Amino acid sequence: MRVLKIHPEKCTGCLRCELACSYMQTGDYQPAKSVIRVSPFEGHTSYAPYTCTQCAEGWCMTACPVGAITISAVGAKDVVDDRCVGCKLCTIACPYGTMFYDPATRKAFKCNLCGGAPACADACPTAAITYEDVETADWLGDFARERTARVLAEAR
Amino acid sequence: MARRHLIIGGGTAGMNAIRTIREEESERSTITLVSAEKPYSRMVLPYYLDRSIAESHVFTATARVLADWGVTAQLGKRVTALDTAANRCTLDDGTAIEYDDCLIATGSSPVRAPVPGADGPGVHSFWTLEQCRGVLAQIKPGSHVVMVGAGFIAFTILNSILALGAKLTIVEIAPRILPRMIDDTGAGLVQSWLEKHGVTVRTGAKLARIDDAKGRQRLKMAAGGDIVADVVIMATGIRTNLEWLKASGVKINQGIVVDDHLRSSAPNVYAAGDVAEGRDLISQANAVHAIEPTAQEHGRVVGANMAGKDVRYRGSLIINIVEVCHLDVASFGAWDDAKAENASGVKADRPAYRKLLWRGDRLTGAIILGPSSDIWTTNDVGMLKGLVQSGVSLGPWKAHLKKNPFDVKPAFIATKTTSSLLPETILGRPSKAPGESPVAV
């Protein structure tokens, strides 16, 4: 299956992925509605986007009491709007923090790989987000460990 | 391998077991479901109550879906006796059913406060679909609804009652609201928030009796200050449905004691959901959780084991989330562990609150509260769950989180929590989608 592969060292923090994602998902250019989130590291000198890994368990999907989260044709866990009642069980079941909830529509939403043409990867000018046929993985762990040393030193 | 499966109870645990049996079995078996009610999800009743969904939306399997799954359904019936030596159960209409293995998933029932008048007209429980219909028929715009009990169940329907245009008073005997879900600080913030949104909250308030007052209900409080209500909803707790099992010899403590495969003490008898006393992920001790996510995981593990697989269950994590007037309130794991190290942070103006609890450098529990419009609240809810569930060693991030309990994300990412979570699945394989039409239309 093709997944979103993140290359954090290439991210410039331009937030185009968030704009593209929010537009694709909700019709608004509004980073607050994006399901890919760019995080700053090292006092805003490094950045990395973070989104759903389309994990094997699909904690959101198995938790849904009405079967409103399914697997789409491209293998993404996808919320079926007509079935979602907005109970938020998926937001607490997902251990990655990649479920979202829109108070206006009272629906949960998440990365669905834009049906096989992810807008974030398309919008990224540095190829920090690519859509590839690879095993999903922890793309940010090593990068974040290295780029958070200063924050941790300050905490001591 | 078992050829005849018997599922007792059509709730979350039972239905997940049935679906998993069909997913996992190598040869087609027979499945009989005995359920007092048509299968539906209690979790979504609040959304039927506020009329945002049709009643048909609550059902988890219609007659057609059950037929598609090849399930022989005995609906509207109850099992009255289980003979574990003969592998046979008896229904309330006298029918006997033999099985090769069986799942007990009979769930819980609501309990009312033991006061005179608690069973009178105009006093409702909110647990079953039938009771939901009863409440729905009574609440009118401007009705004064009094909720007795301020626990999780009560809070799941709070928004719905307000959305119907009713005036709401909450009466709780404990000194704080949500006593089994959040701590004093969190409860205080939620209470202020509710009061700001027009809800009257009376804590430490003991109900003495309920009298009929010309079609309305007069709630006599032990310390005085009567309340007159149009509709009374009793949400004063639940108890597991196990009375019928007393003579069966199945070992029962707080619930049916089960091992790491969800097997009871009786041969070929499993238990799941509210009635099961299974392993808690954090304490590793047996406990009754009586929450939806535990019922779902239990049901799937039992289904796989009934289908001949060998699935060991890692234990369940207590997770609770409820939204009241656009404020998210959630807690995880051992949030009330008095012996744990902890740190907390409050932003009273938003309001937002975090409490994190540790044993060693592992997060073992958390409370989180914040506006549901804050993306980071929702994201942090998930990441805190991931930290508690994975039990990753936080190392130097513990000190960071102690100082900055709102800065969860860098700790989550840099401790490579994703790496430890990704291989984890409940059944040892990728989950399957709910299917083309497993849910009623």
Side-chain angles (χ1 to χ4, degrees):
Chain A
M1 161 186 178
R2 292 175 81 187
V3 299
L4 290 171
K5 183 175 180 180
I6 313 293
H7 313 261
E9 68 289 348
K10 293 185 183 171
C11 176
T12 63
C14 73
L15 303 184
R16 281 198 210 180
C17 57
E18 290 194 3
L19 283 172
C21 175
S22 65
Y23 183 69
M24 188 64 120
Q25 292 293 333
T26 69
D28 292 330
Y29 282 111
Q30 205 174 336
K33 290 183 172 177
S34 169
V35 296
I36 188 163
R37 316 279 330 154
V38 175
S39 286
F41 293 93
E42 287 260 89
H44 291 263
T45 56
S46 298
Y47 301 87
Y50 180 79
T51 190
C52 173
T53 58
Q54 311 296 343
C55 69
E57 173 63 16
W59 301 91
C60 58
M61 179 175 78
T62 54
C64 180
V66 287
I69 300 181
T70 188
I71 301 177
S72 74
V74 296
K77 311 296 184 297
D78 196 6
V79 180
V80 181
D81 277 353
D82 288 351
R83 292 235 39 102
C84 175
V85 299
C87 76
K88 295 195 168 175
L89 253 184
C90 54
T91 69
I92 194 174
C94 168
Y96 304 95
T98 49
M99 281 308 304
F100 295 80
Y101 173 80
D102 187 343
T105 58
R106 295 175 65 187
K107 306 280 181 197
F109 62 112
K110 70 177 293 294
C111 172
N112 57 6
L113 299 174
C114 298
C120 57
D122 199 39
C124 181
T126 59
I129 308 165
T130 54
Y131 187 48
E132 293 183 40
D133 192 359
V134 290
E135 274 292 299
T136 195
D138 182 356
W139 310 113
L140 303 191
D142 290 328
F143 171 87
R145 181 165 286 189
E146 187 198 322
R147 309 283 171 118
T148 48
R150 192 191 307 166
V151 174
L152 282 181
E154 282 166 7
R156 288 210 180 104
Chain B
M1 203 175 83
R3 301 296 307 138
R4 297 169 301 171
H5 305 293
L6 170 64
I7 310 293
I8 308 174
T12 301
M15 299 317 288
N16 272 283
I18 289 173
R19 223 180 72 198
T20 309
I21 291 171
R22 288 294 181 239
E23 287 176 2
E24 294 287 340
E25 66 189 358
S26 46
E27 282 174 66
R28 186 83 163 182
S29 60
T30 66
I31 300 178
T32 304
L33 167 69
V34 180
S35 180
E37 301 170 87
K38 282 161 75 176
Y40 63 86
S41 170
R42 292 199 205 298
M43 279 299 300
V44 304
L45 293 182
Y47 308 93
Y48 172 45
L49 181 62
D50 73 11
R51 298 189 169 96
S52 61
I53 58 170
E55 187 177 297
S56 58
H57 202 130
V58 308
F59 295 104
T60 47
T62 56
R64 185 178 60 80
V65 170
L66 289 170
D68 285 351
W69 285 347
V71 173
T72 305
Q74 299 271 6
L75 302 181
K77 295 174 192 171
R78 290 171 193 276
V79 176
T80 53
L82 186 69
D83 183 339
T84 59
N87 279 14
R88 187 176 55 222
C89 80
T90 310
L91 308 190
D92 52 4
D93 66 354
T95 308
I97 299 173
E98 287 189 1
Y99 60 81
D100 293 320
D101 58 14
C102 127
L103 166 63
I104 302 170
T106 43
S108 309
S109 298
V111 179
R112 294 191 181 185
V115 298
D119 290 322
V123 183
H124 301 258
S125 294
F126 189 92
W127 187 249
T128 65
L129 175 57
E130 191 57 40
Q131 289 162 350
C132 177
R133 291 182 187 126
V135 172
L136 189 51
Q138 291 305 311
I139 300 180
K140 308 274 182 294
S143 295
H144 183 207
V145 176
V146 175
M147 181 94 75
V148 182
F152 174 75
I153 299 298
F155 272 57
T156 59
I157 56 170
L158 204 146
N159 286 343
S160 309
I161 292 167
L162 297 176
L164 291 171
K167 186 170 159 285
L168 178 63
T169 300
I170 299 173
V171 176
E172 168 61 50
I173 190 165
R176 67 166 194 255
I177 57 171
L178 293 168
R180 278 172 299 282
M181 189 174 151
I182 49 173
D183 66 357
D184 284 338
T185 307
L189 290 167
V190 177
Q191 182 168 340
S192 305
W193 180 260
L194 288 176
E195 285 163 352
K196 217 163 96 182
H197 285 78
V199 178
T200 305
V201 182
R202 287 173 63 171
T203 52
K206 189 170 190 289
L207 177 64
R209 60 183 297 124
I210 301 175
D211 294 325
D212 184 72
K214 294 176 187 157
R216 302 182 84 199
Q217 275 70 46
R218 181 179 302 277
L219 290 89
K220 291 262 188 201
M221 306 307 292
D226 295 1
I227 308 168
V228 176
D230 297 300
V231 181
V232 178
I233 301 173
M234 282 262 184
T236 40
I238 53 170
R239 74 157 181 266
T240 49
N241 296 323
L242 288 171
E243 297 78 13
W244 63 279
L245 208 59
K246 289 275 160 66
S248 70
V250 174
K251 188 181 170 195
I252 297 173
N253 193 18
Q254 296 299 310
I256 299 167
V257 180
V258 291
D259 67 9
D260 63 1
H261 284 63
L262 283 309
R263 293 175 291 225
S264 76
S265 64
N268 311 315
V269 176
Y270 296 83
D274 290 13
V275 293
E277 185 179 318
R279 182 178 295 170
D280 177 273
L281 182 67
I282 302 301
S283 69
Q284 290 290 306
N286 272 26
V288 171
H289 279 180
I291 56 171
E292 165 90 15
T294 294
Q296 176 260 119
E297 292 187 359
H298 275 183
R300 288 165 65 220
V301 170
V302 169
N305 286 325
M306 286 176 103
K309 293 286 192 302
D310 177 11
V311 176
R312 187 187 152 273
Y313 184 48
R314 62 177 167 78
S316 41
L317 177 65
I318 291 187
I319 54 176
N320 277 306
I321 187 162
V322 68
E323 184 216 312
V324 288
C325 306
H326 303 295
L327 183 71
D328 277 342
V329 183
S331 62
F332 308 87
W335 62 266
D336 60 347
D337 180 356
K339 289 183 182 151
E341 243 183 292
N342 71 76
S344 59
V346 181
K347 297 178 182 175
D349 53 331
R350 292 201 62 84
Y353 175 55
R354 302 289 174 91
K355 182 173 187 178
L356 308 179
L357 298 95
W358 288 270
R359 287 289 185 122
D361 74 344
R362 292 177 160 82
L363 202 68
T364 48
I367 296 172
I368 171 167
L369 194 151
S372 52
S373 53
D374 285 357
I375 292 156
W376 49 91
T377 302
T378 309
N379 291 171
D380 282 3
V381 160
M383 287 187 209
L384 286 173
K385 193 253 190 174
L387 288 172
V388 175
Q389 176 179 313
S390 64
V392 294
S393 183
L394 284 163
W397 286 100
K398 180 180 169 183
H400 178 79
L401 284 170
K402 275 192 140 177
K403 269 190 167 174
N404 311 282
F406 288 88
D407 199 26
V408 175
K409 192 173 184 178
F412 178 94
I413 296 176
T415 51
K416 302 184 75 171
T417 305
T418 298
S419 284
S420 51
L421 287 168
L422 276 176
E424 195 184 334
T425 57
I426 295 294
L427 298 179
R429 52 125 172 117
S431 300
K432 295 190 172 138
E436 298 260 81
S437 60
V439 180
V441 180

mmCIF file of all heavy atoms in Angstrom, chain B residues 343-369:
data_model
loop_
_atom_site.group_PDB
_atom_site.id
_atom_site.type_symbol
_atom_site.label_atom_id
_atom_site.label_comp_id
_atom_site.label_asym_id
_atom_site.label_seq_id
_atom_site.Cartn_x
_atom_site.Cartn_y
_atom_site.Cartn_z
ATOM 1 N N ALA B 343 2.006 15.588 38.095
ATOM 2 C CA ALA B 343 2.188 17.007 37.807
ATOM 3 C C ALA B 343 0.922 17.490 37.137
ATOM 4 O O ALA B 343 0.236 16.726 36.463
ATOM 5 C CB ALA B 343 3.380 17.207 36.880
ATOM 6 N N SER B 344 0.590 18.766 37.342
ATOM 7 C CA SER B 344 -0.617 19.264 36.706
ATOM 8 C C SER B 344 -0.456 20.711 36.300
ATOM 9 O O SER B 344 0.460 21.408 36.753
ATOM 10 C CB SER B 344 -1.818 19.092 37.641
ATOM 11 O OG SER B 344 -1.595 19.783 38.841
ATOM 12 N N GLY B 345 -1.325 21.136 35.419
ATOM 13 C CA GLY B 345 -1.330 22.519 34.967
ATOM 14 C C GLY B 345 -2.754 22.960 34.701
ATOM 15 O O GLY B 345 -3.571 22.168 34.229
ATOM 16 N N VAL B 346 -3.081 24.206 35.046
ATOM 17 C CA VAL B 346 -4.434 24.723 34.857
ATOM 18 C C VAL B 346 -4.366 26.031 34.082
ATOM 19 O O VAL B 346 -3.510 26.876 34.355
ATOM 20 C CB VAL B 346 -5.128 25.003 36.221
ATOM 21 C CG1 VAL B 346 -6.551 25.507 35.994
ATOM 22 C CG2 VAL B 346 -5.145 23.776 37.094
ATOM 23 N N LYS B 347 -5.250 26.186 33.097
ATOM 24 C CA LYS B 347 -5.479 27.482 32.471
ATOM 25 C C LYS B 347 -6.958 27.757 32.685
ATOM 26 O O LYS B 347 -7.795 27.343 31.882
ATOM 27 C CB LYS B 347 -5.124 27.433 30.980
ATOM 28 C CG LYS B 347 -3.637 27.141 30.735
ATOM 29 C CD LYS B 347 -3.330 27.046 29.253
ATOM 30 C CE LYS B 347 -1.855 26.706 29.037
ATOM 31 N NZ LYS B 347 -1.540 26.479 27.616
ATOM 32 N N ALA B 348 -7.250 28.395 33.804
ATOM 33 C CA ALA B 348 -8.645 28.511 34.244
ATOM 34 C C ALA B 348 -9.505 29.304 33.271
ATOM 35 O O ALA B 348 -10.703 29.073 33.168
ATOM 36 C CB ALA B 348 -8.693 29.141 35.637
ATOM 37 N N ASP B 349 -8.896 30.236 32.523
ATOM 38 C CA ASP B 349 -9.699 31.091 31.644
ATOM 39 C C ASP B 349 -10.224 30.361 30.403
ATOM 40 O O ASP B 349 -11.245 30.740 29.856
ATOM 41 C CB ASP B 349 -8.902 32.340 31.232
ATOM 42 C CG ASP B 349 -7.538 31.978 30.636
ATOM 43 O OD1 ASP B 349 -6.984 30.923 31.031
ATOM 44 O OD2 ASP B 349 -7.050 32.726 29.779
ATOM 45 N N ARG B 350 -9.528 29.289 29.965
ATOM 46 C CA ARG B 350 -9.987 28.671 28.705
ATOM 47 C C ARG B 350 -11.263 27.845 28.844
ATOM 48 O O ARG B 350 -12.082 27.953 27.932
ATOM 49 C CB ARG B 350 -8.839 27.814 28.122
ATOM 50 C CG ARG B 350 -7.699 28.692 27.664
ATOM 51 C CD ARG B 350 -6.849 27.953 26.674
ATOM 52 N NE ARG B 350 -7.586 27.592 25.466
ATOM 53 C CZ ARG B 350 -7.767 28.404 24.430
ATOM 54 N NH1 ARG B 350 -7.284 29.610 24.453
ATOM 55 N NH2 ARG B 350 -8.438 28.007 23.383
ATOM 56 N N PRO B 351 -11.554 26.966 29.763
ATOM 57 C CA PRO B 351 -10.617 26.430 30.743
ATOM 58 C C PRO B 351 -9.877 25.236 30.153
ATOM 59 O O PRO B 351 -10.375 24.582 29.246
ATOM 60 C CB PRO B 351 -11.543 25.970 31.865
ATOM 61 C CG PRO B 351 -12.803 25.557 31.189
ATOM 62 C CD PRO B 351 -12.924 26.414 29.946
ATOM 63 N N ALA B 352 -8.702 24.989 30.693
ATOM 64 C CA ALA B 352 -7.946 23.806 30.290
ATOM 65 C C ALA B 352 -7.225 23.271 31.516
ATOM 66 O O ALA B 352 -6.814 24.039 32.395
ATOM 67 C CB ALA B 352 -6.948 24.146 29.193
ATOM 68 N N TYR B 353 -7.088 21.980 31.560
ATOM 69 C CA TYR B 353 -6.465 21.333 32.723
ATOM 70 C C TYR B 353 -5.794 20.052 32.271
ATOM 71 O O TYR B 353 -6.317 19.341 31.410
ATOM 72 C CB TYR B 353 -7.541 21.033 33.777
ATOM 73 C CG TYR B 353 -7.062 20.243 34.986
ATOM 74 C CD1 TYR B 353 -5.984 20.678 35.753
ATOM 75 C CD2 TYR B 353 -7.716 19.069 35.362
ATOM 76 C CE1 TYR B 353 -5.564 19.953 36.862
ATOM 77 C CE2 TYR B 353 -7.298 18.342 36.480
ATOM 78 C CZ TYR B 353 -6.228 18.795 37.214
ATOM 79 O OH TYR B 353 -5.821 18.076 38.309
ATOM 80 N N ARG B 354 -4.628 19.809 32.809
ATOM 81 C CA ARG B 354 -3.926 18.554 32.554
ATOM 82 C C ARG B 354 -3.430 18.015 33.888
ATOM 83 O O ARG B 354 -2.906 18.767 34.711
ATOM 84 C CB ARG B 354 -2.676 18.767 31.679
ATOM 85 C CG ARG B 354 -2.923 19.402 30.346
ATOM 86 C CD ARG B 354 -3.629 18.422 29.427
ATOM 87 N NE ARG B 354 -3.991 19.096 28.185
ATOM 88 C CZ ARG B 354 -3.226 19.143 27.105
ATOM 89 N NH1 ARG B 354 -2.032 18.591 27.130
ATOM 90 N NH2 ARG B 354 -3.635 19.755 26.021
ATOM 91 N N LYS B 355 -3.546 16.731 34.057
ATOM 92 C CA LYS B 355 -2.867 16.076 35.168
ATOM 93 C C LYS B 355 -2.214 14.827 34.598
ATOM 94 O O LYS B 355 -2.859 14.037 33.906
ATOM 95 C CB LYS B 355 -3.850 15.711 36.276
ATOM 96 C CG LYS B 355 -3.163 15.056 37.474
ATOM 97 C CD LYS B 355 -4.129 14.854 38.617
ATOM 98 C CE LYS B 355 -3.397 14.372 39.849
ATOM 99 N NZ LYS B 355 -4.329 14.228 40.988
ATOM 100 N N LEU B 356 -0.942 14.675 34.856
ATOM 101 C CA LEU B 356 -0.197 13.515 34.367
ATOM 102 C C LEU B 356 0.312 12.736 35.576
ATOM 103 O O LEU B 356 0.742 13.326 36.565
ATOM 104 C CB LEU B 356 0.977 13.957 33.494
ATOM 105 C CG LEU B 356 0.645 14.921 32.345
ATOM 106 C CD1 LEU B 356 1.910 15.291 31.579
ATOM 107 C CD2 LEU B 356 -0.377 14.317 31.405
ATOM 108 N N LEU B 357 0.263 11.413 35.488
ATOM 109 C CA LEU B 357 0.693 10.575 36.606
ATOM 110 C C LEU B 357 1.728 9.558 36.140
ATOM 111 O O LEU B 357 1.594 8.982 35.059
ATOM 112 C CB LEU B 357 -0.500 9.837 37.218
ATOM 113 C CG LEU B 357 -1.593 10.739 37.819
ATOM 114 C CD1 LEU B 357 -2.695 10.988 36.809
ATOM 115 C CD2 LEU B 357 -2.163 10.131 39.080
ATOM 116 N N TRP B 358 2.749 9.374 36.964
ATOM 117 C CA TRP B 358 3.837 8.464 36.615
ATOM 118 C C TRP B 358 4.076 7.405 37.673
ATOM 119 O O TRP B 358 3.913 7.673 38.870
ATOM 120 C CB TRP B 358 5.162 9.225 36.516
ATOM 121 C CG TRP B 358 5.309 10.107 35.346
ATOM 122 C CD1 TRP B 358 5.816 9.765 34.126
ATOM 123 C CD2 TRP B 358 4.990 11.501 35.278
ATOM 124 N NE1 TRP B 358 5.815 10.874 33.311
ATOM 125 C CE2 TRP B 358 5.328 11.934 33.985
ATOM 126 C CE3 TRP B 358 4.454 12.426 36.182
ATOM 127 C CZ2 TRP B 358 5.153 13.263 33.578
ATOM 128 C CZ3 TRP B 358 4.268 13.726 35.777
ATOM 129 C CH2 TRP B 358 4.609 14.137 34.480
ATOM 130 N N ARG B 359 4.503 6.249 37.205
ATOM 131 C CA ARG B 359 5.203 5.282 38.040
ATOM 132 C C ARG B 359 6.565 5.135 37.370
ATOM 133 O O ARG B 359 6.634 4.724 36.215
ATOM 134 C CB ARG B 359 4.470 3.938 38.074
ATOM 135 C CG ARG B 359 3.183 3.947 38.890
ATOM 136 C CD ARG B 359 3.470 4.049 40.377
ATOM 137 N NE ARG B 359 2.258 3.948 41.177
ATOM 138 C CZ ARG B 359 2.070 3.015 42.126
ATOM 139 N NH1 ARG B 359 3.001 2.114 42.363
ATOM 140 N NH2 ARG B 359 0.965 3.004 42.822
ATOM 141 N N GLY B 360 7.626 5.482 38.080
ATOM 142 C CA GLY B 360 8.940 5.510 37.446
ATOM 143 C C GLY B 360 8.927 6.564 36.350
ATOM 144 O O GLY B 360 8.420 7.664 36.556
ATOM 145 N N ASP B 361 9.435 6.241 35.159
ATOM 146 C CA ASP B 361 9.372 7.246 34.088
ATOM 147 C C ASP B 361 8.345 6.871 33.027
ATOM 148 O O ASP B 361 8.443 7.280 31.876
ATOM 149 C CB ASP B 361 10.766 7.518 33.494
ATOM 150 C CG ASP B 361 11.257 6.388 32.608
ATOM 151 O OD1 ASP B 361 10.685 5.274 32.679
ATOM 152 O OD2 ASP B 361 12.204 6.617 31.840
ATOM 153 N N ARG B 362 7.356 6.084 33.438
ATOM 154 C CA ARG B 362 6.279 5.725 32.519
ATOM 155 C C ARG B 362 4.984 6.406 32.928
ATOM 156 O O ARG B 362 4.615 6.390 34.110
ATOM 157 C CB ARG B 362 6.085 4.207 32.499
ATOM 158 C CG ARG B 362 7.248 3.484 31.870
ATOM 159 C CD ARG B 362 7.078 1.971 31.918
ATOM 160 N NE ARG B 362 7.937 1.345 30.929
ATOM 161 C CZ ARG B 362 9.233 1.102 31.126
ATOM 162 N NH1 ARG B 362 9.810 1.423 32.272
ATOM 163 N NH2 ARG B 362 9.960 0.543 30.166
ATOM 164 N N LEU B 363 4.297 6.957 31.944
ATOM 165 C CA LEU B 363 3.012 7.592 32.218
ATOM 166 C C LEU B 363 1.972 6.494 32.462
ATOM 167 O O LEU B 363 1.812 5.600 31.632
ATOM 168 C CB LEU B 363 2.610 8.451 31.011
ATOM 169 C CG LEU B 363 1.614 9.575 31.266
ATOM 170 C CD1 LEU B 363 2.243 10.659 32.130
ATOM 171 C CD2 LEU B 363 1.138 10.174 29.951
ATOM 172 N N THR B 364 1.297 6.546 33.614
ATOM 173 C CA THR B 364 0.338 5.492 33.944
ATOM 174 C C THR B 364 -1.100 6.000 33.985
ATOM 175 O O THR B 364 -2.044 5.210 34.100
ATOM 176 C CB THR B 364 0.668 4.858 35.308
ATOM 177 O OG1 THR B 364 0.886 5.919 36.252
ATOM 178 C CG2 THR B 364 1.922 4.006 35.221
ATOM 179 N N GLY B 365 -1.257 7.320 33.913
ATOM 180 C CA GLY B 365 -2.612 7.861 33.914
ATOM 181 C C GLY B 365 -2.584 9.327 33.543
ATOM 182 O O GLY B 365 -1.523 9.969 33.585
ATOM 183 N N ALA B 366 -3.732 9.854 33.136
ATOM 184 C CA ALA B 366 -3.810 11.262 32.770
ATOM 185 C C ALA B 366 -5.247 11.750 32.812
ATOM 186 O O ALA B 366 -6.186 10.978 32.633
ATOM 187 C CB ALA B 366 -3.239 11.475 31.365
ATOM 188 N N ILE B 367 -5.375 13.038 33.098
ATOM 189 C CA ILE B 367 -6.665 13.719 32.976
ATOM 190 C C ILE B 367 -6.434 14.888 32.031
ATOM 191 O O ILE B 367 -5.406 15.569 32.123
ATOM 192 C CB ILE B 367 -7.155 14.256 34.350
ATOM 193 C CG1 ILE B 367 -7.406 13.103 35.313
ATOM 194 C CG2 ILE B 367 -8.411 15.110 34.181
ATOM 195 C CD1 ILE B 367 -7.701 13.551 36.739
ATOM 196 N N ILE B 368 -7.337 15.099 31.109
ATOM 197 C CA ILE B 368 -7.197 16.219 30.181
ATOM 198 C C ILE B 368 -8.551 16.866 29.960
ATOM 199 O O ILE B 368 -9.561 16.190 29.807
ATOM 200 C CB ILE B 368 -6.533 15.774 28.852
ATOM 201 C CG1 ILE B 368 -6.581 16.889 27.803
ATOM 202 C CG2 ILE B 368 -7.137 14.511 28.301
ATOM 203 C CD1 ILE B 368 -5.682 16.633 26.600
ATOM 204 N N LEU B 369 -8.530 18.175 29.978
ATOM 205 C CA LEU B 369 -9.761 18.934 29.864
ATOM 206 C C LEU B 369 -9.451 20.171 29.027
ATOM 207 O O LEU B 369 -8.435 20.832 29.249
ATOM 208 C CB LEU B 369 -10.107 19.314 31.300
ATOM 209 C CG LEU B 369 -11.423 19.852 31.753
ATOM 210 C CD1 LEU B 369 -11.599 19.421 33.190
ATOM 211 C CD2 LEU B 369 -11.450 21.337 31.640
#
